[in-house]
Amino acid sequence: MAKTGPNTVKSRGDEAGREASGEKKRLIVCFGEMLIDFVPTVSGVTLAEAPAFKKAAGGAPANVSVGIARLCGSSAFIGKRGAM
């Protein structure tokens, strides 16, 4: 596989090969909940020692959708926000 950007990986003959053969790119849709992960701003310390945390989007279905997109797949995420 050839790396094409900071977070993308492309396999050889992927999109061009699909277009030449007439094969369509399939959309993978992930359904589920998106969570907010609290990630320490400093690495190498315990959670109790962390001075602060940043919010990061997470949750398995959302992470799978991002992973597919990073591998040059076509993906979408459908979810719903709960009551605040």
Side-chain angles (χ1 to χ4, degrees):
M1 291 206 195
K3 205 164 176 87
T4 60
N7 294 318
T8 59
V9 177
K10 263 191 168 175
S11 61
R12 295 178 208 187
D14 54 356
E15 292 170 13
R18 276 193 210 99
E19 288 178 15
S21 69
E23 182 182 338
K24 292 183 179 180
K25 195 172 189 179
R26 295 181 184 200
L27 175 66
I28 299 173
V29 181
C30 301
F31 295 87
E33 61 183 349
M34 183 174 188
L35 305 174
I36 300 298
D37 295 332
F38 290 90
V39 182
T41 56
V42 178
S43 62
V45 298
T46 66
L47 291 177
E49 297 169 333
F53 296 87
K54 66 179 181 176
K55 296 176 191 173
N63 290 340
V64 168
S65 185
V66 169
I68 292 166
R70 286 183 176 171
L71 293 170
C72 297
S74 182
S75 68
F77 170 78
I78 298 176
K80 184 177 178 183
R81 179 181 62 85
M84 293 180 76

